[in-house]
Amino acid sequence: MLSADQKRFYDENGYLLVENAVTGEQLDRLREITYRLIDASRDVTESDAVYDLDKGHSVDAPRLTRIKLPHKRDPYFWEILRNSALTGVLTDLLGPHTNLLTSKLNTKAPGGGRAVEWHQDWAFYPATNDDLLAFGLMLEDVDEANGPLMVIPGTHKGPVLSHSANGFFAGAIDPDDPLFEPDKAVTLTGKAGDMTVHHARILHGSAPNMSDRNRLILFYECSASDAWPILGASSYIHSLGQRAYWNDVQARQITGEPQLVARMADVPVVMPLPPAPDTGSIFKTQESAGAKSAFT
């Protein structure tokens, strides 16, 4: 799927923009499902296992920050990841054996939909190696006005910046950190059907949506199958039981097979602890820990 130049660019910069990652037919179906899910949120009065509500959400005007785990809400989201051009991009960058870590559909509502403060995904889930990435499939056009993803090239090869605030893991860096260089940020805009790719260690964030349009981006966070989680795996196994945990690992296999030999790499790891008062979403983590905003 990717040319040698594209793979080299990703390796050097930590991000990529892939145009026309899905067909027109696939895009239409994804949007139909998405808007159906948004419409179904009208009677929801508080954030739950499916929806993160934004301020001002109502029956007449649904406003969401996120639809959680869309691959569990409709099987087509899982089908797109496993059998489309996305699959080829994934294996080009991570190899033949890959896993889904999580998915989310960030719906950033118009007229001030919430910002995501600058952070590194790696800070949330360090692993035995850093072959981890996120796809951001644009379901509508994304431009400067509606809160596009921004990345700082090359930071995937640098340190893990502090994501703490007020004694908690805040899921966001301090914008006053001397290692944070926002003047080097690149804004990733595109047309519906285009897709961003960003490395788990790259610094990224997004401003509020100040347009009159939704910003719909479907995110898949994925890893090479031999990148095993450092934090949480043992407690997760204990809570589920070994058989249930193994079933879960297999259920999240995108391509290839589970890899039982963890590949160890010399990567920087900082434990995301102590947890914030509310860890229900990245928005709640950043807000409840009192993370300082870079967008005010």
Side-chain angles (χ1 to χ4, degrees), residues 148-171:
L149 181 69
M150 296 181 287
V151 299
I152 301 182
T155 50
H156 66 303
K157 296 186 177 182
V160 180
L161 273 59
S162 172
H163 286 63
S164 295
N166 304 308
F168 298 105
F169 174 74

Side-chain angles (χ1 to χ4, degrees), residues 37-52:
L37 287 168
I38 292 173
D39 190 62
S41 75
R42 292 178 183 275
D43 293 326
V44 178
T45 58
E46 58 183 38
S47 297
D48 58 17
V50 178
Y51 300 106
D52 275 332

Side-chain angles (χ1 to χ4, degrees), residues 233-249:
S234 60
S235 59
Y236 188 43
I237 291 172
H238 179 73
S239 64
L240 283 181
Q242 285 184 316
R243 186 170 300 279
Y245 178 74
W246 175 240
N247 291 340
D248 177 67
V249 169

